[in-house]
Amino acid sequence: SSWLKEYLYIPLGGNRKGKTRRYINLLLTMLLGGLWHGANWTFVFWGGLNGTALCIDKITEKKKTSDFLKPLKIFGTFVFITFTWIFFRADSFSTAWTVIKGIVTFQDGITHMFSWTFVAVAFLVIATLAACIKARKTKSEVNGYYPILNLDTVWGLTLFFVELGLLFGLAFTGEAPFVYFQF
């Protein structure tokens, strides 16, 4: 991301030429970042979705988010970014559409994985809520995009290893080449 910022976003003018130009520069940078990942329209679309999300974030960043809405915003960002990865990994729009349709309609072949995804997401929501409650009690902010988890406690370590177990348990074990091997 620093390369995209230094060699695309800043030379395009960054945020120095007004708000409209800032949004155009963000969108162009992410579209080109998607194209850089591969000569396929799914990569460009992935970049466009992320660029659009960045623009929306910049438009709404000055608005105060209530303590109640902050976990929902974090969760929404997680779901959106996870959704965009479908296009990044799909070899075509028809493949991406098949995956999306399968997720929404619980079609055979991914039903089991989808049900475990609910469990992993539930743990993420609980950890995010716990981080926000902890931050409110200590009158601090939830820093970064991930909830703060104290690994010095039995509870923190337990949650960490349960989430880690879910990640390993849900990992795709079939043979798939690393995405950058195609270049």
Side-chain angles (χ1 to χ4, degrees):
S1 62
S2 61
W3 188 92
L4 291 172
K5 178 183 167 188
E6 291 178 28
Y7 294 101
L8 289 175
Y9 182 69
I10 292 174
L12 285 170
N15 58 359
R16 298 182 309 269
K17 297 185 177 186
K19 288 182 179 182
T20 303
R21 185 62 190 258
R22 174 189 196 184
Y23 305 136
I24 291 170
N25 293 341
L26 277 171
L27 193 55
L28 280 174
T29 299
M30 292 308 294
L31 285 168
L32 291 170
L35 186 60
W36 176 80
H37 280 87
N40 189 341
W41 284 109
T42 57
F43 289 115
V44 176
F45 188 69
W46 169 80
L49 287 173
N50 281 278
T52 302
L54 279 172
C55 291
I56 291 169
D57 181 63
K58 295 301 176 194
I59 290 168
T60 61
E61 76 181 343
K62 300 284 185 202
K63 296 181 175 148
K64 176 80 172 134
T65 304
S66 71
D67 290 339
F68 175 74
L69 292 179
K70 190 175 275 190
L72 294 176
K73 187 176 179 184
I74 293 169
F75 178 70
T77 300
F78 171 77
V79 169
F80 178 78
I81 295 302
T82 303
F83 173 78
T84 66
W85 282 105
I86 294 169
F87 295 98
F88 186 86
R89 291 297 295 161
D91 58 354
S92 67
F93 282 110
S94 63
T95 302
W97 178 248
T98 301
V99 170
I100 293 167
K101 193 168 69 172
I103 290 170
V104 173
T105 62
F106 297 96
Q107 287 181 347
D108 288 341
I110 63 167
T111 306
H112 179 69
M113 291 297 288
F114 190 68
S115 63
W116 278 107
T117 303
F118 279 126
V119 174
V121 169
F123 272 106
L124 178 69
V125 169
I126 291 167
T128 302
L129 288 171
C132 291
I133 290 168
K134 180 180 177 182
R136 189 172 196 188
K137 285 182 180 179
T138 60
K139 297 185 176 151
S140 62
E141 295 256 341
V142 176
N143 296 322
Y145 294 95
Y146 301 101
I148 300 164
L149 188 60
N150 186 356
L151 297 178
D152 293 334
T153 65
V154 173
W155 176 246
L157 280 172
T158 303
L159 276 177
F160 174 76
F161 283 111
V162 166
E163 190 67 30
L164 193 64
L166 286 171
L167 289 173
F168 284 130
L170 297 175
F172 177 71
T173 56
E175 185 177 333
F178 182 59
V179 68
Y180 292 114
F181 285 165
Q182 66 185 336
F183 300 110

